[in-house]
């Protein structure tokens, strides 16, 4: 079975991935290595440190025992703050360290939108506004048009990890816009993998979440992505 190794910063929603593995009866292995974090803060300088090559290379070394076929840097803010070129360089450094194809959550969002043929999006961000604007810029550089954006000013990943499903649904519905073809939820610290169908039902359109696109991109690095239940439009192919 395919094995997508995940480099995940700190502790917040890392349990989303083994729970998914269990629900899909081992159709994919998702071993997680927790990478080091200097400061748990949705602040640009802290995020640049979280996504540093040294921290990710150390994580890739720890992941080697799981023999991953591909590796994902499972952190949106710790990739988009580097900008498109920086994020690609970051992913290339992880690939070099791991010896297998690699990418990141931010790149996964852009690639997932292209896969679905979606351009106009709404963003439901947990981050403070200044950090969320970096994500908007990353999407814009990738060819998307952000028609609305809601930011919620949550300063730490640890707090995001405690959000109840009902709060996540509320954030997604509040961010939605009639012109948006999809709603994006850009934080791997948020538990979302068990509620994708619920989120899509709430807005009547595709919802792309950080943990969902991370798994998708990891599989996409290896070839055709299998249809997986409960993971929304992205895992059902083009609309």
């Amino acid at each position: 079975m395919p094995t997508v190794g995940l480099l995940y910063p700190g502790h917040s929603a890392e349990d989303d991935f083994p729970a998914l593995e269990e629900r899909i009866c081992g159709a994919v292995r998702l071993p997680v290595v927790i990478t080091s974090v200097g400061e748990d803060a949705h602040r640009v300088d802290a995020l640049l440190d979280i996504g540093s090559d040294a921290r990710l290379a150390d994580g890739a070394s720890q992941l080697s025992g799981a023999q991953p076929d591909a590796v994902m840097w499972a952190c949106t803010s710790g990739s988009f703050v580097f900008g498109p070129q920086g994020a690609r360089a970051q992913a290339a450094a992880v690939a070099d360290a791991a010896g297998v194809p690699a990418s990141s959550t931010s790149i996964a969002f852009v690639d997932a939108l292209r896969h679905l043929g979606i351009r106009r999006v709404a963003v439901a961000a947990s981050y403070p506004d200044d950090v969320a604007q970096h994500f908007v810029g990353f999407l814009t550089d990738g060819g998307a048009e952000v028609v609305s954006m809601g930011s919620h000013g949550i300063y730490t990943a640890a707090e995001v990890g405690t959000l109840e499903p009902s709060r996540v649904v509320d954030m997604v519905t509040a961010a939605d816009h009639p012109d948006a073809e999809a709603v994006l939820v850009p934080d791997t610290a948020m538990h979302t993998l068990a509620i994708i169908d619920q989120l899509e039902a709430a807005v009547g359109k595709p919802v792309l979440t950080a943990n969902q696109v991370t798994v998708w991109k990891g599989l996409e690095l290896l070839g055709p992505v299998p249809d997986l239940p409960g993971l929304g439009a992205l895992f059902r192919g083009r609309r």
Side-chain angles (χ1 to χ4, degrees), residues 100-151:
V100 296
S103 191
S104 69
T105 305
S106 293
I107 294 170
F109 270 111
V110 171
D111 290 351
L113 291 174
R114 289 174 181 161
H115 174 73
L116 291 170
I118 288 173
R119 182 169 177 270
R120 297 184 307 279
V121 302
V123 172
S126 55
Y127 319 120
D129 184 73
D130 64 321
V131 172
Q133 291 297 340
H134 282 268
F135 183 58
V136 171
F138 193 96
L139 293 173
T140 302
D141 285 339
E145 178 188 352
V146 178
V147 297
S148 70
M149 195 272 285
S151 60

Side-chain angles (χ1 to χ4, degrees), residues 32 61 68 74 119-120 129 158 191 198 200 221:
V32 177
S61 175
R119 182 169 177 270
R120 297 184 307 279
D129 184 73
H191 290 89
Q198 184 180 348
E200 292 194 339
L221 289 171

